[in-house]
């Protein structure tokens, strides 16, 4: 057993950290304030190979492992969690899904551009009446010769209005429940596919979250991923890996809260000395650092299991459940340590709290992670 990173993993981590500090930190507050999509920053992440990290090089990716991806995801999110979620969705939902379950023709047509970052992808599972209850889909895909006709609405789609294509889960037969669901590749510009509403959010404001509408949207049957009826399994398997990405995003936000608290505590004086010398502050920092370290171990363990070809769904759910809670609690403590300064925009930690909260919600709420964990233990 070893806790050491390989040379490549260490290099990815360092590259991601310096890139994030040099190129994402400037403007992060303004992008958040104005909900500005970080198009230029996403292009720069693509140049570093961060948009298709686990995809083999032959399909346009960086050919790296999940541990490297989790390390990079955490470093990007430590500085700008909006960039973190854009990266996470493209890598672990869209590229992973296509690479794992797509045909060579689909990979050729779509994966190469997505993994290289020339194009951006989105993943549309949730609906107004199907969030946690993900198999209760009302979006219908009706077979019509060698096409399907899609009708319905999707909610909370990250990258939804900026994406060049969306992986859409829809039901071909509602009476079959989860077994009636299929996944379709829907390119932007397909007639009948429109962006319905851009959400105004508490956090990760620079990322783009929208609802999508499909009205008599004709999709070639060749754009279906896997067999008809395999779409729910596709979504669940893809989300198992996606949860490692979101756990890493949460870890990054928690680390940011810890780092900000450490430097502020050393600078800020009260009662004639830096507040870092006060035991009340030291206890908070020690607790936060221990939680962050534990989260890191869970995240990297889940990533390592995936790389080792072992089952990783439960480990991913545990990592996400724990790291997201640590992110929220660390951000709250960071605000407390900063006092009034923690409550204002300039000191960044208020953004960490707003960004952290969604990690307990998307890609399966904390309650869903508990269900996934408990079911696997009781099986
Ligand atoms: N891998 C493979 N197959 C799986 C699976 C997994 N991880 N989980 C379930 N399945 C299979 C089951 O084996 C079952 O098939 P069989 O009948 O053949 O055994 C089938 O799928 C149905 O499974 P369940 O009976 O367990 O289904 P359920 O209705 O009880 O739901 C759930 C299970 C875990 C609650 C699931 O609905 C779930 O994960 N909900 C949360 C959805 C979610 O995470 N949404 C996130 C949206 S995407 C997003 O947020 C992205 C973004 O933009 C940031």
């Amino acid at each position: 057993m070893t806790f050491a990173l390989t040379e490549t993993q260490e290099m990815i981590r360092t590259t991601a950290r310096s890139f994030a500090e040099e190129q994402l930190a400037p403007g992060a507050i303004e992008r958040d304030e104005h909900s500005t999509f970080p198009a230029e920053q996403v292009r720069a992440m693509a140049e570093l190979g961060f948009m298709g990290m686990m995809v083999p090089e032959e399909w346009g990716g960086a050919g790296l492992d999940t541990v490297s991806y989790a390390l990079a995801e955490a470093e990007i999110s430590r500085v700008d969690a909006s960039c973190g979620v854009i990266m996470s969705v493209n890598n672990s939902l869209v590229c992973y899904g296509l690479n794992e379950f797509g045909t060579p023709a689909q990979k050729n047509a779509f994966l190469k551009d997505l993994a290289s970052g020339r194009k951006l992808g989105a993943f549309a599972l949730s609906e107004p009446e199907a969030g946690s209850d993900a198999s209760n889909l009302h979006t219908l895909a009706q077979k019509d010769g060698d096409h399907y006709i899609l009708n319905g609405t999707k909610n909370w789609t990250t990258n939804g209005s900026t994406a060049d294509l969306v992986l859409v889960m829809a039901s071909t037969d509602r009476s079959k429940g989860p077994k009636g669901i299929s996944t379709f590749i829907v390119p932007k510009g397909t007639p009948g596919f429109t962006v319905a509403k851009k959400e105004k959010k508490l956090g990760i404001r620079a990322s783009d979250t929208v609802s999508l509408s499909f009205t008599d949207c004709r999709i070639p049957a060749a754009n279906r991923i896997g067999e008809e009826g395999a779409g729910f399994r596709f979504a669940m398997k893809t989300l198992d890996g996606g949860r490692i990405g979101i756990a890493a995003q949460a870890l990054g936000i928690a680390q940011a809260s810890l780092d900000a608290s450490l430097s502020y505590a050393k600078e800020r004086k009260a009662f004639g000395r830096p507040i870092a010398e006060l035991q009340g502050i030291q206890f908070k920092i020690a607790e936060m650092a221990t939680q962050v370290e534990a989260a890191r171990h869970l995240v990297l363990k889940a990533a390592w299991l995936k790389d080792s070809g072992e089952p990783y769904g439960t480990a991913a759910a545990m990592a996400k459940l724990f790291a997201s809670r640590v992110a929220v609690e660390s951000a709250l403590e960071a605000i407390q340590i900063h006092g009034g300064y923690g409550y204002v925009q300039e000191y960044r930690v208020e953004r960490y709290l707003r960004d952290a909260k969604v990690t307990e919600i998307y890609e399966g709420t904390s309650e869903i992670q508990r269900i996934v964990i408990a079911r696997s233990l009781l099986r």
Side-chain angles (χ1 to χ4, degrees):
M1 185 181 189
T2 172
F3 287 100
L5 298 178
T6 65
E7 227 174 273
T8 308
Q9 289 162 350
E10 189 55 53
M11 189 263 290
I12 295 293
R13 198 188 66 77
T14 328
T15 306
R17 175 162 289 213
S18 34
F19 166 77
E21 283 175 352
E22 286 158 25
Q23 296 197 46
L24 301 184
I29 289 177
E30 292 74 18
R31 291 193 298 275
D32 169 71
E33 182 175 0
H34 303 295
S35 301
T36 310
F37 185 79
E40 195 187 308
Q41 289 73 14
V42 172
R43 265 196 299 277
M45 291 199 294
E47 275 167 31
L48 287 172
F50 287 176
M51 296 306 282
M53 293 186 74
M54 296 165 289
V55 174
E57 289 177 36
E58 62 168 314
W59 297 116
L64 292 163
D65 57 12
T66 316
V67 168
S68 299
Y69 162 60
L71 293 166
E73 175 65 41
E75 292 298 339
I76 298 296
S77 302
R78 176 177 163 271
V79 173
D80 187 338
S82 288
C83 288
V85 72
I86 296 164
M87 174 179 162
S88 175
V89 166
N90 199 68
N91 272 277
S92 46
L93 298 185
V94 183
C95 286
Y96 171 83
L98 270 168
N99 186 50
E100 197 67 17
F101 304 101
T103 61
Q106 289 169 343
K107 291 186 196 184
N108 220 9
F110 305 109
L111 182 58
K112 277 185 173 168
D113 282 343
L114 289 163
S116 62
R118 281 192 292 274
K119 290 194 172 166
L120 189 65
F123 183 90
L125 173 65
S126 302
E127 296 183 359
E129 291 175 68
S132 290
D133 186 7
S135 68
N136 183 35
L137 299 187
H138 286 68
T139 297
L140 292 179
Q142 202 181 4
K143 192 93 193 271
D144 182 27
D146 56 359
H147 280 72
Y148 285 88
I149 301 174
L150 263 56
N151 279 289
T153 303
K154 291 290 176 182
N155 265 22
W156 322 128
T157 314
T158 304
N159 298 344
S161 70
T162 35
D164 299 280
L165 69 82
V166 185
L167 303 187
V168 180
M169 273 113 284
S171 180
T172 52
D173 184 350
R174 288 207 71 223
S175 70
K176 290 188 181 162
K179 298 220 166 18
I181 294 171
S182 299
T183 305
F184 301 92
I185 304 165
V186 182
K188 189 179 194 169
T190 306
F193 164 32
T194 50
V195 174
K197 181 182 167 215
K198 186 168 165 126
E199 303 294 347
K200 291 182 179 168
K201 296 169 294 185
L202 177 70
I204 55 159
R205 288 182 181 165
S207 73
D208 145 45
T209 309
V210 297
S211 56
L212 304 173
S213 169
F214 300 89
T215 310
D216 294 332
C217 177
R218 276 176 76 80
I219 302 299
N223 281 19
R224 192 191 64 224
I225 301 181
E227 295 299 310
E228 194 171 279
F232 190 69
R233 224 178 126 71
F234 167 90
M236 291 297 108
K237 288 196 80 136
T238 305
L239 280 163
D240 280 342
R243 289 167 185 162
I244 300 176
I246 299 304
Q249 182 196 31
L251 170 64
I253 300 169
Q255 183 71 54
S257 299
L258 173 61
D259 293 347
S261 301
L262 283 169
S263 56
Y264 185 78
K266 285 192 253 179
E267 269 167 33
R268 173 72 179 173
K269 290 200 172 70
F271 309 105
R273 53 192 172 142
I275 61 169
E277 291 177 21
L278 302 174
Q279 209 174 44
I281 300 294
Q282 290 177 353
F283 281 7
K284 283 186 191 299
I285 284 173
E287 189 63 36
M288 212 192 289
T290 308
Q291 298 288 324
V292 171
E293 195 58 14
R296 189 184 335 280
H297 286 304
L298 284 176
V299 172
L300 294 180
K301 166 87 182 294
W304 176 85
L305 283 171
K306 182 162 177 279
D307 289 335
S308 309
E310 302 283 338
Y312 58 89
T314 309
M318 286 178 175
K320 182 178 180 296
L321 173 64
F322 188 80
S324 60
R325 185 166 58 209
V326 171
V328 171
E329 286 172 0
S330 302
L332 273 169
E333 282 297 58
I335 292 174
Q336 195 65 18
I337 290 169
H338 282 69
Y341 295 102
Y343 205 65
V344 298
Q345 190 189 49
E346 193 185 335
Y347 282 75
R348 303 190 312 268
V349 289
E350 59 85 34
R351 173 164 57 92
Y352 300 159
L353 178 63
R354 291 188 288 103
D355 288 349
K357 184 57 203 168
V358 74
T359 66
E360 293 189 313
I361 298 172
Y362 57 23
E363 300 207 19
T365 61
S366 295
E367 292 71 18
I368 290 295
Q369 307 312 320
R370 290 186 184 98
I371 289 173
V372 170
I373 296 162
R375 280 185 184 177
S376 87
L377 293 172
L378 297 166
R379 202 177 287 137

